[in-house]
Amino acid sequence: MREFVNTANVLTSASLVAGVAALMLASDGHLDSALVAVSVAALLDSVDGWVARRTGVCGPFGCHLDSLADLVAFGVAPALMLGHGALSSMPLLGAGAGIAFVLAGAWRLARFQLGEDREHFVGLPIPPAGLIAAAIAAFAPPAWLALALCLLLALLMVEGFTVPTLAEIIRLARRRPAPVLVPKNADSSSEDERVAA
């Protein structure tokens, strides 16, 4: 196993630990603390891939580990948080929505492993979906609203629309030419010249 020990995989493992911590906190009813743990997992998840690419350690092991960490931190943990929080008043429907959310997240991660391009995601990625679901659980809106949002997030994860990656958004922003500002005096003088002609 030593060949797999590198900074990127350590960060991914820390994300998984944060996800497990969120599960434990949610089980004890500490939803605010569980949201913090999911947020920490999201921060680590946003860095591990970049570190892997920078250090040249991208590979199947890291990709599979990342998917497992994501499913726990952004799939199972938010679903459990919703079940113990906003959806606790509707146990049957809440459990169904939580299962749908986890399944959609698992399918989303499996589809990602098939090789999406680096410019676009297909469907809503599971980290933002999990963060939103965890926030819904922590802030406890009315149960019907939490149920609708949970199902909507599940649907968005498996839909086929494309979402630009953060790297692509930054690349496009850098390529966009700056607007050309024409001085007001220049416009008026050119008009005067046209009238005189």
Side-chain angles (χ1 to χ4, degrees):
M1 294 296 284
R2 285 182 182 176
E3 67 270 24
F4 300 123
V5 178
N6 55 58
T7 306
N9 288 340
V10 168
L11 289 168
T12 304
S13 299
S15 178
L16 177 58
V17 169
V20 173
L23 284 171
M24 294 176 173
L25 290 163
S27 298
D28 289 337
H30 303 298
L31 299 182
D32 291 341
S33 299
L35 174 59
V36 171
V38 172
S39 300
V40 169
L43 179 64
L44 294 165
D45 182 64
S46 68
V47 174
D48 63 358
W50 181 83
V51 170
R53 288 187 295 276
R54 287 286 177 176
T55 56
V57 294
C58 293
F61 181 88
C63 289
H64 293 308
L65 183 63
D66 187 67
S67 287
L68 291 170
D70 286 358
L71 187 60
V72 172
F74 310 119
V76 180
L80 186 65
M81 289 172 67
L82 284 166
H84 282 278
L87 298 179
S88 60
S89 62
M90 44 175 67
L92 193 59
L93 284 174
I99 290 169
F101 184 83
V102 173
L103 281 175
W107 281 55
R108 172 68 185 77
L109 288 164
R111 182 173 62 190
F112 179 76
Q113 291 297 332
L114 296 178
E116 293 182 4
D117 62 49
R118 293 185 59 178
E119 296 180 355
H120 297 92
F121 294 119
V122 179
L124 179 67
I126 192 173
L131 266 174
I132 294 168
I136 292 167
F139 292 111
W144 62 268
L145 180 58
L147 180 69
L149 290 172
C150 178
L151 292 174
L152 176 64
L153 289 168
L155 180 64
L156 290 175
M157 283 192 283
V158 295
E159 273 298 311
F161 64 91
T162 58
V163 179
T165 63
L166 182 60
E168 177 64 7
I169 291 169
I170 292 169
R171 188 182 69 78
L172 290 173
R174 287 181 179 164
R175 275 188 37 195
R176 186 176 63 198
V180 178
L181 299 176
V182 180
K184 211 171 188 181
N185 294 339
D187 285 339
S188 59
S189 62
S190 63
E191 286 175 12
D192 291 341
E193 288 168 8
R194 283 196 298 271
V195 170

